[in-house]
Amino acid sequence: MTMQAERSHELPTIAEAEALTSAAALFHSLGDPSRLVILQHLQLGEHRVVDLVKHLGLSQSTVSKHLACLKDTGMVVSRAEGRASMYSLAHPDAVVAILAAAEKVLALTGDAVRLCPMHHEGITAD
């Protein structure tokens, strides 16, 4: 039996949990419907915050906070254009692959994702 197989019934070590922190942050960034819409919209190309505000119907500050979250995980990048910032996907192919994989899992699990007891209790990683 391998060391990993022997440990499969043990709790993860601190080092293992820390190694998953980045993955947890990535999945957290995908955990809001507005951020998912932003990612889908940015698949069309670069957009200013004002463009995303119009598309989403959210306030500028809310859209900016969502973009900051996506930038923190490295999924979105920005560049200055005059006084505005232009936002785009940092790794378009990878984002499309993540969203496609999520759609596949959702198709396979159906309502099981919505029925997660922790989701309904409002438990978050914050």
Side-chain angles (χ1 to χ4, degrees):
M1 187 180 311
T2 67
M3 183 72 107
Q4 187 173 13
E6 290 174 12
R7 298 193 60 217
S8 65
H9 298 289
E10 297 176 20
L11 294 174
T13 65
I14 291 173
E16 290 168 334
E18 287 176 356
L20 295 174
T21 300
S22 293
L26 174 69
F27 284 109
H28 174 78
S29 73
L30 298 172
D32 184 282
S34 295
R35 288 193 290 269
L36 291 174
V37 171
I38 289 170
L39 290 174
Q40 289 177 330
H41 203 63
L42 291 177
Q43 289 180 53
L44 303 172
E46 287 186 313
H47 287 83
R48 300 172 298 160
V49 172
V50 68
D51 301 326
L52 295 169
V53 165
K54 287 178 188 175
H55 180 73
L56 293 167
L58 299 173
S59 71
Q60 183 272 328
S61 64
T62 300
V63 171
S64 292
K65 287 177 186 176
H66 285 311
L67 286 166
C69 176
L70 294 168
K71 278 184 73 172
D72 286 347
T73 59
M75 296 181 72
V76 170
V77 294
S78 65
R79 66 175 181 82
E81 186 172 284
R83 291 179 33 187
S85 292
M86 299 297 291
Y87 290 87
S88 61
L89 298 176
H91 309 284
D93 293 340
V95 170
V96 169
I98 287 172
L99 297 177
E103 287 177 4
K104 183 175 181 178
V105 171
L106 287 169
L108 294 169
T109 60
D111 285 341
V113 173
R114 279 189 245 134
L115 300 177
C116 172
M118 291 182 73
H119 177 75
H120 286 291
E121 292 174 13
I123 296 174
T124 63
D126 291 342

